[in-house]
Amino acid sequence: MKSLSHLALLLVSLLFVSCVNKQGGACAYQAFNELIEITALQQNSVETTGSIIENFDRRDFDTTPAIGERYRVQGKQLIRGSCTPITDLQLTKMQ
């Protein structure tokens, strides 16, 4: 019985220590807004001149883009934590 209480105390102590030293914390994002140009089309991806995102999935676009078309890319980029790297992605075709 005594060893069971020691084991329980050890487990509770380990649980407490793991929570106290938790890393990461809340995620933080920074908004971004840039102009990109389509440079190449692959079967399922689109290559661009973007500095934040260089390769997009074709499904990110409303219609299939053409090489040379320009888009405004807006969204939020992860700057702290371990959440989704890019959120609120919006692509707007420039005229």
Short mmCIF file of all heavy atoms in Angstrom, two decimals, residues 35-87:
data_model
loop_
_atom_site.label_atom_id
_atom_site.label_comp_id
_atom_site.label_asym_id
_atom_site.label_seq_id
_atom_site.Cartn_x
_atom_site.Cartn_y
_atom_site.Cartn_z
N LEU A 35 1.83 41.19 -53.49
CA LEU A 35 1.48 40.91 -54.88
C LEU A 35 2.37 39.79 -55.39
O LEU A 35 3.57 39.79 -55.13
CB LEU A 35 1.66 42.15 -55.75
CG LEU A 35 0.71 43.31 -55.47
CD1 LEU A 35 1.08 44.51 -56.34
CD2 LEU A 35 -0.72 42.90 -55.73
N ILE A 36 1.77 38.84 -56.11
CA ILE A 36 2.54 37.74 -56.69
C ILE A 36 2.24 37.65 -58.18
O ILE A 36 1.23 38.18 -58.65
CB ILE A 36 2.21 36.39 -56.02
CG1 ILE A 36 0.73 36.04 -56.23
CG2 ILE A 36 2.57 36.41 -54.55
CD1 ILE A 36 0.37 34.61 -55.92
N GLU A 37 3.12 36.97 -58.89
CA GLU A 37 2.89 36.69 -60.30
C GLU A 37 3.05 35.19 -60.51
O GLU A 37 3.96 34.57 -59.94
CB GLU A 37 3.89 37.45 -61.17
CG GLU A 37 3.62 37.30 -62.65
CD GLU A 37 4.51 38.18 -63.50
OE1 GLU A 37 4.79 39.32 -63.09
OE2 GLU A 37 4.93 37.72 -64.58
N ILE A 38 2.19 34.62 -61.32
CA ILE A 38 2.25 33.19 -61.62
C ILE A 38 3.43 32.95 -62.55
O ILE A 38 3.53 33.57 -63.61
CB ILE A 38 0.94 32.68 -62.28
CG1 ILE A 38 -0.28 33.10 -61.45
CG2 ILE A 38 0.99 31.18 -62.51
CD1 ILE A 38 -0.30 32.62 -60.03
N THR A 39 4.34 32.04 -62.16
CA THR A 39 5.52 31.76 -62.98
C THR A 39 5.50 30.38 -63.63
O THR A 39 6.15 30.19 -64.65
CB THR A 39 6.81 31.89 -62.14
OG1 THR A 39 6.74 30.98 -61.03
CG2 THR A 39 6.98 33.32 -61.63
N ALA A 40 4.77 29.44 -63.06
CA ALA A 40 4.71 28.09 -63.63
C ALA A 40 3.48 27.36 -63.09
O ALA A 40 3.03 27.62 -61.98
CB ALA A 40 5.96 27.29 -63.30
N LEU A 41 2.95 26.48 -63.92
CA LEU A 41 1.81 25.65 -63.53
C LEU A 41 2.23 24.19 -63.58
O LEU A 41 2.78 23.74 -64.58
CB LEU A 41 0.62 25.88 -64.46
CG LEU A 41 0.07 27.31 -64.51
CD1 LEU A 41 -0.97 27.43 -65.61
CD2 LEU A 41 -0.52 27.69 -63.17
N GLN A 42 2.00 23.48 -62.51
CA GLN A 42 2.24 22.05 -62.46
C GLN A 42 0.87 21.36 -62.42
O GLN A 42 -0.17 22.02 -62.44
CB GLN A 42 3.06 21.69 -61.22
CG GLN A 42 4.38 22.44 -61.10
CD GLN A 42 5.32 22.17 -62.26
OE1 GLN A 42 5.33 21.08 -62.83
NE2 GLN A 42 6.10 23.17 -62.64
N GLN A 43 0.86 20.05 -62.32
CA GLN A 43 -0.41 19.32 -62.34
C GLN A 43 -1.35 19.78 -61.23
O GLN A 43 -2.51 20.07 -61.48
CB GLN A 43 -0.16 17.83 -62.23
CG GLN A 43 -1.44 17.02 -62.35
CD GLN A 43 -1.15 15.52 -62.39
OE1 GLN A 43 0.00 15.09 -62.40
NE2 GLN A 43 -2.20 14.75 -62.41
N ASN A 44 -0.84 19.87 -60.00
CA ASN A 44 -1.69 20.26 -58.88
C ASN A 44 -1.20 21.50 -58.16
O ASN A 44 -1.77 21.90 -57.14
CB ASN A 44 -1.79 19.11 -57.87
CG ASN A 44 -2.52 17.92 -58.44
OD1 ASN A 44 -3.54 18.07 -59.09
ND2 ASN A 44 -1.98 16.74 -58.23
N SER A 45 -0.12 22.12 -58.62
CA SER A 45 0.43 23.26 -57.91
C SER A 45 0.68 24.43 -58.86
O SER A 45 0.75 24.27 -60.07
CB SER A 45 1.73 22.88 -57.20
OG SER A 45 2.72 22.53 -58.12
N VAL A 46 0.82 25.60 -58.25
CA VAL A 46 1.07 26.85 -58.97
C VAL A 46 2.28 27.50 -58.34
O VAL A 46 2.31 27.76 -57.14
CB VAL A 46 -0.16 27.78 -58.86
CG1 VAL A 46 0.11 29.11 -59.54
CG2 VAL A 46 -1.40 27.12 -59.42
N GLU A 47 3.32 27.76 -59.14
CA GLU A 47 4.52 28.42 -58.65
C GLU A 47 4.40 29.92 -58.89
O GLU A 47 3.90 30.35 -59.93
CB GLU A 47 5.76 27.86 -59.36
CG GLU A 47 6.00 26.40 -59.06
CD GLU A 47 7.18 25.83 -59.82
OE1 GLU A 47 8.06 26.60 -60.25
OE2 GLU A 47 7.21 24.60 -59.97
N THR A 48 4.89 30.70 -57.91
CA THR A 48 4.75 32.16 -57.99
C THR A 48 6.04 32.86 -57.56
O THR A 48 6.99 32.22 -57.13
CB THR A 48 3.60 32.66 -57.07
OG1 THR A 48 4.05 32.57 -55.70
CG2 THR A 48 2.34 31.85 -57.26
N THR A 49 6.00 34.18 -57.65
CA THR A 49 7.11 35.02 -57.20
C THR A 49 6.97 35.40 -55.72
O THR A 49 7.74 36.22 -55.23
CB THR A 49 7.17 36.32 -58.02
OG1 THR A 49 5.92 37.01 -57.86
CG2 THR A 49 7.45 36.05 -59.48
N GLY A 50 6.03 34.83 -55.04
CA GLY A 50 5.76 35.21 -53.65
C GLY A 50 6.93 34.98 -52.72
O GLY A 50 7.71 34.04 -52.88
N SER A 51 7.07 35.85 -51.72
CA SER A 51 8.14 35.69 -50.73
C SER A 51 7.65 34.93 -49.51
O SER A 51 8.44 34.29 -48.83
CB SER A 51 8.69 37.05 -50.31
OG SER A 51 7.67 37.82 -49.70
N ILE A 52 6.36 34.97 -49.23
CA ILE A 52 5.80 34.26 -48.08
C ILE A 52 5.36 32.86 -48.51
O ILE A 52 5.66 31.87 -47.85
CB ILE A 52 4.66 35.05 -47.44
CG1 ILE A 52 5.21 36.36 -46.87
CG2 ILE A 52 3.97 34.23 -46.36
CD1 ILE A 52 4.19 37.31 -46.35
N ILE A 53 4.63 32.79 -49.61
CA ILE A 53 4.20 31.51 -50.17
C ILE A 53 4.64 31.49 -51.62
O ILE A 53 4.22 32.34 -52.41
CB ILE A 53 2.67 31.33 -50.09
CG1 ILE A 53 2.17 31.50 -48.66
CG2 ILE A 53 2.26 29.97 -50.64
CD1 ILE A 53 0.64 31.52 -48.54
N GLU A 54 5.48 30.55 -51.98
CA GLU A 54 5.98 30.46 -53.35
C GLU A 54 5.17 29.46 -54.18
O GLU A 54 5.09 29.61 -55.39
CB GLU A 54 7.45 30.05 -53.36
CG GLU A 54 8.36 31.09 -52.73
CD GLU A 54 9.80 30.62 -52.64
OE1 GLU A 54 10.09 29.47 -53.02
OE2 GLU A 54 10.63 31.41 -52.19
N ASN A 55 4.64 28.44 -53.53
CA ASN A 55 3.87 27.40 -54.22
C ASN A 55 2.48 27.29 -53.61
O ASN A 55 2.35 27.16 -52.39
CB ASN A 55 4.57 26.04 -54.12
CG ASN A 55 5.89 26.03 -54.85
OD1 ASN A 55 5.94 26.32 -56.03
ND2 ASN A 55 6.96 25.74 -54.15
N PHE A 56 1.48 27.35 -54.47
CA PHE A 56 0.09 27.23 -54.04
C PHE A 56 -0.49 25.95 -54.61
O PHE A 56 -0.04 25.44 -55.63
CB PHE A 56 -0.74 28.41 -54.56
CG PHE A 56 -0.41 29.72 -53.91
CD1 PHE A 56 0.64 30.50 -54.36
CD2 PHE A 56 -1.16 30.18 -52.84
CE1 PHE A 56 0.94 31.71 -53.78
CE2 PHE A 56 -0.87 31.39 -52.24
CZ PHE A 56 0.19 32.16 -52.71
N ASP A 57 -1.53 25.47 -53.98
CA ASP A 57 -2.32 24.38 -54.53
C ASP A 57 -3.28 25.01 -55.53
O ASP A 57 -3.79 26.11 -55.31
CB ASP A 57 -3.10 23.70 -53.40
CG ASP A 57 -3.75 22.41 -53.84
OD1 ASP A 57 -4.63 22.47 -54.74
OD2 ASP A 57 -3.39 21.35 -53.31
N ARG A 58 -3.53 24.34 -56.64
CA ARG A 58 -4.47 24.89 -57.64
C ARG A 58 -5.84 25.16 -57.04
O ARG A 58 -6.56 26.05 -57.48
CB ARG A 58 -4.61 23.95 -58.83
CG ARG A 58 -3.48 24.09 -59.81
CD ARG A 58 -3.82 23.40 -61.10
NE ARG A 58 -2.68 23.46 -62.01
CZ ARG A 58 -2.80 23.60 -63.30
NH1 ARG A 58 -3.98 23.66 -63.86
NH2 ARG A 58 -1.73 23.65 -64.06
N ARG A 59 -6.20 24.40 -56.01
CA ARG A 59 -7.52 24.58 -55.37
C ARG A 59 -7.62 25.89 -54.60
O ARG A 59 -8.70 26.31 -54.21
CB ARG A 59 -7.82 23.41 -54.44
CG ARG A 59 -8.00 22.09 -55.19
CD ARG A 59 -8.18 20.96 -54.25
NE ARG A 59 -6.89 20.76 -53.56
CZ ARG A 59 -6.62 19.79 -52.72
NH1 ARG A 59 -7.54 18.91 -52.43
NH2 ARG A 59 -5.44 19.67 -52.17
N ASP A 60 -6.48 26.57 -54.36
CA ASP A 60 -6.50 27.87 -53.68
C ASP A 60 -7.09 28.96 -54.57
O ASP A 60 -7.51 30.01 -54.08
CB ASP A 60 -5.08 28.28 -53.25
CG ASP A 60 -4.53 27.41 -52.14
OD1 ASP A 60 -5.32 26.89 -51.33
OD2 ASP A 60 -3.30 27.25 -52.08
N PHE A 61 -7.12 28.73 -55.88
CA PHE A 61 -7.60 29.72 -56.84
C PHE A 61 -9.04 29.39 -57.24
O PHE A 61 -9.41 28.23 -57.38
CB PHE A 61 -6.72 29.71 -58.09
CG PHE A 61 -5.30 30.16 -57.82
CD1 PHE A 61 -4.36 29.25 -57.36
CD2 PHE A 61 -4.93 31.47 -58.02
CE1 PHE A 61 -3.06 29.65 -57.11
CE2 PHE A 61 -3.62 31.87 -57.76
CZ PHE A 61 -2.69 30.96 -57.30
N ASP A 62 -9.85 30.44 -57.48
CA ASP A 62 -11.24 30.25 -57.92
C ASP A 62 -11.28 29.61 -59.30
O ASP A 62 -12.12 28.76 -59.57
CB ASP A 62 -11.99 31.59 -57.95
CG ASP A 62 -12.22 32.14 -56.55
OD1 ASP A 62 -12.26 31.34 -55.59
OD2 ASP A 62 -12.37 33.37 -56.42
N THR A 63 -10.39 30.05 -60.19
CA THR A 63 -10.28 29.48 -61.54
C THR A 63 -8.81 29.17 -61.78
O THR A 63 -7.93 29.71 -61.10
CB THR A 63 -10.78 30.46 -62.62
OG1 THR A 63 -9.98 31.65 -62.57
CG2 THR A 63 -12.24 30.82 -62.41
N THR A 64 -8.54 28.35 -62.76
CA THR A 64 -7.15 28.00 -63.07
C THR A 64 -6.41 29.25 -63.54
O THR A 64 -6.81 29.88 -64.51
CB THR A 64 -7.09 26.91 -64.15
OG1 THR A 64 -7.80 25.76 -63.67
CG2 THR A 64 -5.66 26.53 -64.45
N PRO A 65 -5.34 29.62 -62.85
CA PRO A 65 -4.58 30.81 -63.25
C PRO A 65 -3.73 30.54 -64.49
O PRO A 65 -3.50 29.39 -64.85
CB PRO A 65 -3.72 31.10 -62.03
CG PRO A 65 -3.52 29.76 -61.40
CD PRO A 65 -4.79 28.99 -61.66
N ALA A 66 -3.25 31.61 -65.09
CA ALA A 66 -2.37 31.50 -66.26
C ALA A 66 -1.02 32.12 -65.90
O ALA A 66 -0.94 33.03 -65.06
CB ALA A 66 -2.97 32.23 -67.45
N ILE A 67 0.02 31.65 -66.55
CA ILE A 67 1.36 32.21 -66.33
C ILE A 67 1.33 33.70 -66.68
O ILE A 67 0.78 34.10 -67.69
CB ILE A 67 2.40 31.45 -67.16
CG1 ILE A 67 2.52 30.01 -66.65
CG2 ILE A 67 3.76 32.15 -67.13
CD1 ILE A 67 3.41 29.12 -67.46
N GLY A 68 1.91 34.50 -65.80
CA GLY A 68 1.95 35.95 -66.00
C GLY A 68 0.84 36.69 -65.27
O GLY A 68 0.95 37.91 -65.10
N GLU A 69 -0.22 36.02 -64.86
CA GLU A 69 -1.28 36.70 -64.12
C GLU A 69 -0.76 37.11 -62.75
O GLU A 69 0.11 36.46 -62.18
CB GLU A 69 -2.50 35.79 -63.96
CG GLU A 69 -3.28 35.60 -65.22
CD GLU A 69 -4.54 34.75 -65.02
OE1 GLU A 69 -4.61 33.98 -64.05
OE2 GLU A 69 -5.42 34.88 -65.85
N ARG A 70 -1.31 38.22 -62.26
CA ARG A 70 -0.91 38.75 -60.95
C ARG A 70 -2.08 38.65 -59.98
O ARG A 70 -3.23 38.86 -60.37
CB ARG A 70 -0.44 40.19 -61.10
CG ARG A 70 0.84 40.28 -61.93
CD ARG A 70 1.27 41.68 -62.13
NE ARG A 70 1.18 42.41 -60.87
CZ ARG A 70 1.55 43.66 -60.69
NH1 ARG A 70 2.02 44.33 -61.69
NH2 ARG A 70 1.44 44.24 -59.53
N TYR A 71 -1.74 38.35 -58.74
CA TYR A 71 -2.73 38.20 -57.66
C TYR A 71 -2.26 38.93 -56.42
O TYR A 71 -1.07 39.03 -56.16
CB TYR A 71 -2.94 36.72 -57.31
CG TYR A 71 -3.74 35.95 -58.32
CD1 TYR A 71 -3.15 35.47 -59.48
CD2 TYR A 71 -5.09 35.69 -58.11
CE1 TYR A 71 -3.88 34.76 -60.41
CE2 TYR A 71 -5.83 34.98 -59.03
CZ TYR A 71 -5.21 34.52 -60.18
OH TYR A 71 -5.94 33.81 -61.10
N ARG A 72 -3.21 39.43 -55.65
CA ARG A 72 -2.93 39.96 -54.32
C ARG A 72 -3.19 38.80 -53.35
O ARG A 72 -4.23 38.16 -53.40
CB ARG A 72 -3.83 41.14 -53.97
CG ARG A 72 -3.60 41.63 -52.53
CD ARG A 72 -4.30 42.92 -52.23
NE ARG A 72 -3.96 44.00 -53.15
CZ ARG A 72 -2.81 44.70 -53.15
NH1 ARG A 72 -1.87 44.40 -52.29
NH2 ARG A 72 -2.61 45.66 -54.01
N VAL A 73 -2.21 38.54 -52.49
CA VAL A 73 -2.33 37.47 -51.50
C VAL A 73 -2.38 38.11 -50.12
O VAL A 73 -1.51 38.90 -49.76
CB VAL A 73 -1.12 36.50 -51.57
CG1 VAL A 73 -1.28 35.39 -50.55
CG2 VAL A 73 -0.96 35.93 -52.95
N GLN A 74 -3.41 37.77 -49.36
CA GLN A 74 -3.56 38.28 -48.01
C GLN A 74 -3.83 37.10 -47.08
O GLN A 74 -4.42 36.10 -47.49
CB GLN A 74 -4.73 39.26 -47.92
CG GLN A 74 -4.51 40.51 -48.75
CD GLN A 74 -5.74 41.39 -48.78
OE1 GLN A 74 -6.80 40.96 -49.22
NE2 GLN A 74 -5.59 42.61 -48.30
N GLY A 75 -3.38 37.23 -45.85
CA GLY A 75 -3.61 36.18 -44.87
C GLY A 75 -2.87 36.50 -43.59
O GLY A 75 -2.43 37.63 -43.36
N LYS A 76 -2.74 35.48 -42.76
CA LYS A 76 -2.02 35.61 -41.50
C LYS A 76 -0.99 34.51 -41.42
O LYS A 76 -1.29 33.35 -41.68
CB LYS A 76 -2.99 35.51 -40.31
CG LYS A 76 -3.97 36.66 -40.24
CD LYS A 76 -4.89 36.51 -39.07
CE LYS A 76 -5.92 37.64 -39.04
NZ LYS A 76 -6.91 37.43 -37.97
N GLN A 77 0.24 34.89 -41.05
CA GLN A 77 1.36 33.96 -40.96
C GLN A 77 1.72 33.75 -39.50
O GLN A 77 1.82 34.70 -38.73
CB GLN A 77 2.55 34.53 -41.73
CG GLN A 77 3.76 33.63 -41.72
CD GLN A 77 4.91 34.24 -42.50
OE1 GLN A 77 5.01 35.45 -42.65
NE2 GLN A 77 5.78 33.40 -43.01
N LEU A 78 1.96 32.50 -39.13
CA LEU A 78 2.34 32.14 -37.77
C LEU A 78 3.70 32.73 -37.42
O LEU A 78 4.65 32.57 -38.18
CB LEU A 78 2.39 30.61 -37.64
CG LEU A 78 2.71 30.05 -36.26
CD1 LEU A 78 1.58 30.34 -35.29
CD2 LEU A 78 2.96 28.56 -36.36
N ILE A 79 3.77 33.42 -36.28
CA ILE A 79 5.06 33.97 -35.84
C ILE A 79 5.48 33.40 -34.48
O ILE A 79 6.62 33.56 -34.08
CB ILE A 79 5.04 35.51 -35.79
CG1 ILE A 79 3.94 36.03 -34.87
CG2 ILE A 79 4.94 36.10 -37.18
CD1 ILE A 79 3.98 37.52 -34.62
N ARG A 80 4.54 32.72 -33.76
CA ARG A 80 4.89 32.12 -32.48
C ARG A 80 3.94 30.97 -32.20
O ARG A 80 2.75 31.06 -32.44
CB ARG A 80 4.81 33.14 -31.35
CG ARG A 80 5.27 32.57 -30.01
CD ARG A 80 5.26 33.57 -28.87
NE ARG A 80 3.90 34.01 -28.59
CZ ARG A 80 3.48 35.27 -28.64
NH1 ARG A 80 4.30 36.23 -28.98
NH2 ARG A 80 2.24 35.59 -28.37
N GLY A 81 4.49 29.87 -31.70
CA GLY A 81 3.69 28.71 -31.34
C GLY A 81 3.78 27.64 -32.41
O GLY A 81 4.63 27.69 -33.30
N SER A 82 2.90 26.66 -32.32
CA SER A 82 2.94 25.54 -33.27
C SER A 82 1.55 25.26 -33.83
O SER A 82 1.09 24.13 -33.86
CB SER A 82 3.52 24.29 -32.59
OG SER A 82 2.74 23.96 -31.46
N CYS A 83 0.88 26.30 -34.27
CA CYS A 83 -0.45 26.18 -34.88
C CYS A 83 -0.32 26.12 -36.40
O CYS A 83 0.77 25.98 -36.93
CB CYS A 83 -1.31 27.38 -34.47
SG CYS A 83 -1.55 27.54 -32.68
N THR A 84 -1.43 26.26 -37.10
CA THR A 84 -1.44 26.26 -38.55
C THR A 84 -0.55 27.39 -39.07
O THR A 84 -0.72 28.54 -38.67
CB THR A 84 -2.89 26.45 -39.06
OG1 THR A 84 -3.71 25.44 -38.48
CG2 THR A 84 -2.96 26.39 -40.57
N PRO A 85 0.40 27.09 -39.98
CA PRO A 85 1.35 28.11 -40.43
C PRO A 85 0.74 29.32 -41.13
O PRO A 85 1.18 30.44 -40.93
CB PRO A 85 2.26 27.36 -41.39
CG PRO A 85 2.07 25.92 -41.08
CD PRO A 85 0.69 25.79 -40.52
N ILE A 86 -0.28 29.10 -41.96
CA ILE A 86 -0.93 30.20 -42.70
C ILE A 86 -2.43 30.05 -42.51
O ILE A 86 -2.99 28.97 -42.68
CB ILE A 86 -0.62 30.13 -44.22
CG1 ILE A 86 0.89 30.19 -44.48
CG2 ILE A 86 -1.37 31.21 -44.99
CD1 ILE A 86 1.52 31.54 -44.29
N THR A 87 -3.10 31.16 -42.16
CA THR A 87 -4.56 31.14 -42.02
C THR A 87 -5.17 32.30 -42.79
O THR A 87 -4.47 33.24 -43.18
CB THR A 87 -5.00 31.23 -40.54
OG1 THR A 87 -4.60 32.49 -40.01
CG2 THR A 87 -4.41 30.11 -39.71
#
